[in-house]
Amino acid sequence: QVQLVQSGAEMRKPGASVKVSCKTSGYSFGAFYIHWVRKAPGQGLEWMGIINPNIGDTTYSQKFQDRIVMTSDSSTSTVYLELSSLTSEDTAVYHCTRDVGFWSANGMDVWGQGTTVTV
Amino acid sequence: QSVVTQPPSASGTPGQRVTISCSGSTSNIGSNDVCWYQQLPGTAPKLLIFKNSQRPSGVPDRFSGSRSGTSASLAISGLRSEDEADYFCAAWDDSLRGGVFGGGTKLTVL
């Protein structure tokens, strides 16, 4: 079955960086884009950006533009999110989720279980 | 502060129909399709509605969506206790050149 399995919880000090992985399985890796979405305590969902795993092309939210990097590794069908210059406001659960297109009207149909990042 | 606005809370009794609104602008809901997501406590979000009103397989027909102008809404009929969750609308924003989610609505089944 289709699965997105994320790496475990992380704890960082302010100013540090964190890298979260999202291992995909059960479908053709390059056939779907991957979004990263986060949810901070007491807040709503927040879109961070999207990557085309086939070619590594990315689009980031303006809010994170200066300190976010998304990458992909087709040999392991894994996508990565790296966020730097962390502050307490980055404490959140981070989810990867797939989409058949670049923010397609079909929505994000499969989600990773989430990775808690505590700063 | 999200550019797409939802009421923070909604409630209803079992069997009732409730509606959750999602208000945006011409750059997001006014020009792009809307999706709705349900997030049960402690779990990942789940796609509930896509293309404004379409349901993925497995989503009961008690859930329905609509979009008109710069607003969208999610209706849940025959309310059940297991519907108690957070609900989020989402759309692409052409001005921001990014995706936007509503602030979320916490649904309580009384």
Side-chain angles (χ1 to χ4, degrees):
Chain A
Q1 75 278 27
V2 176
Q3 283 190 301
L4 277 60
V5 179
Q6 299 181 224
S7 49
E10 302 274 10
M11 192 171 291
R12 294 287 186 275
K13 294 187 183 301
S17 298
V18 68
K19 192 169 186 176
V20 179
S21 67
C22 171
K23 184 170 176 57
T24 72
S25 61
Y27 71 96
S28 176
F29 181 62
F32 289 79
Y33 289 71
I34 296 290
H35 299 271
W36 286 91
V37 176
R38 75 178 188 180
K39 190 171 189 299
Q43 305 294 314
L45 297 175
E46 182 172 35
W47 182 78
M48 301 182 72
I50 184 172
I51 183 168
N52 178 338
N54 247 342
I55 58 176
D57 191 36
T58 56
T59 297
Y60 302 135
S61 165
Q62 294 172 8
K63 177 176 179 177
F64 303 103
Q65 188 75 39
D66 296 335
R67 59 189 188 100
I68 190 172
V69 177
M70 295 179 188
T71 54
S72 63
D73 181 348
S74 58
S75 68
T76 59
S77 300
T78 301
V79 175
Y80 298 90
L81 165 71
E82 186 167 18
L83 191 63
S84 59
S85 302
L86 294 170
T87 72
S88 59
E89 295 188 351
D90 294 313
T91 294
V93 177
Y94 291 74
H95 292 278
C96 57
T97 175
R98 73 169 197 175
D99 192 335
V100 70
F102 183 99
W103 195 282
S104 80
N106 294 312
M108 305 168 194
D109 67 339
V110 180
W111 292 66
Q113 83 276 19
T115 297
T116 299
V117 175
T118 304
V119 182
Chain B
Q1 194 83 351
S2 178
V3 298
V4 175
T5 304
Q6 296 181 234
S9 63
S11 63
T13 56
Q16 267 191 330
R17 173 186 167 93
V18 297
T19 302
I20 297 172
S21 63
C22 176
S23 179
S25 66
T26 54
S27 64
N28 43 65
I29 296 175
S31 51
N32 295 293
D33 290 320
V34 174
C35 292
W36 288 90
Y37 298 89
Q38 176 194 58
Q39 188 170 30
L40 298 169
T43 69
K46 170 189 170 184
L47 179 63
L48 204 61
I49 297 286
F50 65 96
K51 286 184 183 177
N52 308 311
S53 60
Q54 305 298 304
R55 286 185 309 276
S57 62
V59 173
D61 60 6
R62 301 186 296 106
F63 294 90
S64 61
S66 64
R67 170 187 155 214
S68 178
T70 59
S71 295
S73 64
L74 172 72
I76 309 171
S77 59
L79 200 61
R80 304 173 71 160
S81 58
E82 56 259 40
D83 298 332
E84 193 161 280
D86 292 327
Y87 293 85
F88 299 90
C89 58
W92 182 258
D93 190 294
D94 294 328
S95 295
L96 294 175
R97 280 176 286 182
V100 290
F101 285 90
T105 298
K106 183 176 182 61
L107 175 64
T108 301
V109 181
L110 303 169

